[in-house]
């Protein structure tokens, strides 16, 4: 088994050099990209497996944001479980929060010590190699919020924007109950004057569309008085 591999996206030559050196000293293989476009090409040409690879992303890059790469990875069925660590610049609290919301697994704030980074990367590799109970099972859903497309059991779903939003919110943490208020805020926005019933109505139509594809399966659970969750185990 070759050593684990790190795909590093970082445009600052001094930081990149230090990071590459520290990771290689730790016995890891490193591919270094300077541009978002290079990293995306690399991910497309040789999709890395989630057990032996970690993606380390700087945010501010000449041709875009590392957060876009993170979003792309999480929306891609082949890459969605790939561990992602974000390098957030000092004072960019927003970027850190957004990074975690987009599904980054960890972050370090610049300036960071190379040892700290290596420890975090090792932590992600350990987690990824742990028994399957800690890695989410396949959900039977695929979701691409950029193109507003979703599939269930391999069949395309014709969802409205709100239905897709609800599904995306629930799928962020399968099994977790989300209240109607939380779903309303996430999908309709905080200043929405829609009522709880709006959520119920859209869940109902979403459910009907899922059942058209697989009548015997109902991945959405209603928790009376609490809200909804989506199950990955049906
Ligand atoms: Ca940068």
């Amino acid at each position: 088994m070759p050593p684990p591999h790190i795909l590093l996206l970082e445009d600052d030559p001094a930081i990149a050099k230090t990071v590459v050196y520290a990771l290689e000293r730790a016995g890891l293989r490193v591919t270094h990209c300077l541009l978002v476009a290079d990293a995306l090409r690399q991910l497309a040409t040789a999709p890395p497996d989630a057990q032996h690879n970690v993606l380390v992303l700087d945010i501010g890059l000449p041709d875009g944001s590392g957060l876009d790469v993170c979003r792309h990875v999480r929306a891609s069925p082949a890459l969605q479980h790939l561990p992602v660590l974000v390098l957030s610049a000092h004072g960019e609290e927003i970027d850190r929060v957004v990074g975690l919301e987009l599904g980054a697994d960890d972050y370090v704030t610049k300036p960071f010590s190379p040892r700290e980074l290596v420890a975090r990367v090792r932590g992600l590799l350990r987690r990824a190699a742990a028994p399957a109970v800690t890695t989410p099972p396949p959900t039977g859903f695929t979701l691409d919020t950029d193109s507003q497309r979703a599939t269930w059991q391999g069949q395309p779903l014709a969802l409205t924007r709100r239905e897709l939003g609800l599904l995306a919110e629930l799928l962020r943490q399968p099994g977790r109950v989300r209240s109607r208020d939380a779903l309303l805020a996430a999908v309709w926005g905080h200043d929405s004057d829609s009522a709880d019933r709006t959520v119920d109505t859209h869940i109902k139509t979403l459910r009907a569309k899922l059942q058209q594809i697989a009548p015997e399966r109902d991945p959405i659970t209603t928790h009376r008085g609490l809200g909804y969750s989506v199950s990955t185990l049906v």
Side-chain angles (χ1 to χ4, degrees):
M1 177 74 67
H5 173 254
I6 313 305
L7 179 57
L8 168 68
L9 176 58
E10 168 64 71
D11 63 320
D12 183 307
I15 295 176
K17 197 174 159 199
T18 315
V19 168
V20 170
Y21 180 75
L23 291 170
E24 286 182 347
R25 285 253 335 223
L28 304 164
R29 291 172 300 141
V30 185
T31 303
H32 173 215
C33 299
L34 289 156
L35 298 172
V36 168
D38 294 341
L40 291 178
R41 198 173 309 123
Q42 183 79 24
L43 289 169
T45 330
D49 77 76
Q51 274 71 48
H52 306 99
N53 291 271
V54 174
L55 191 53
V56 177
L57 300 174
D58 181 30
I59 293 177
L61 294 146
D63 63 337
S65 164
L67 296 178
D68 293 335
V69 179
C70 186
R71 193 181 287 119
H72 167 80
V73 163
R74 287 296 173 255
S76 151
L79 302 170
Q80 59 181 336
H81 298 305
L82 188 64
V84 174
L85 184 148
V86 167
L87 303 176
S88 140
H90 187 63
E92 286 178 339
E93 178 75 7
I94 291 291
D95 286 343
R96 181 176 71 76
V97 171
V98 171
L100 293 176
E101 278 187 354
L102 287 177
D105 299 281
D106 205 355
Y107 66 91
V108 293
T109 304
K110 293 178 182 177
F112 52 85
S113 85
R115 269 177 64 177
E116 171 72 10
L117 180 71
V118 168
R120 298 294 189 92
V121 165
R122 282 224 164 103
L124 290 176
L125 286 166
R126 249 196 320 274
R127 221 196 290 171
V133 280
T134 60
T135 53
T139 63
F141 287 103
T142 65
L143 196 63
D144 184 345
T145 43
D146 286 340
S147 66
Q148 299 276 301
R149 262 184 290 221
T151 69
W152 161 238
Q153 306 288 324
Q155 308 277 330
L157 281 164
L159 301 181
T160 64
R161 189 161 66 92
R162 302 301 194 191
E163 290 163 355
L164 189 82
L166 281 173
L167 183 60
E169 270 306 301
L170 290 170
L171 281 174
R172 275 156 57 116
Q173 267 182 292
R176 183 180 149 201
V177 181
R178 304 292 308 272
S179 70
R180 290 177 175 79
D181 280 349
L183 291 169
L184 207 54
V187 180
W188 277 263
H190 288 283
D191 52 349
S192 152
D193 53 2
S194 306
D196 287 4
R197 280 195 42 161
T198 312
V199 174
D200 297 340
T201 311
H202 284 79
I203 289 279
K204 197 173 162 189
T205 54
L206 172 60
R207 240 189 199 134
K209 288 176 182 178
L210 295 175
Q211 280 178 353
Q212 274 175 6
I213 290 173
E216 73 286 6
R217 295 181 176 189
D218 187 5
I220 298 176
T221 305
T222 308
H223 302 266
R224 198 176 279 273
L226 295 173
Y228 296 98
S229 69
V230 66
S231 169
T232 60
L233 303 171
V234 296

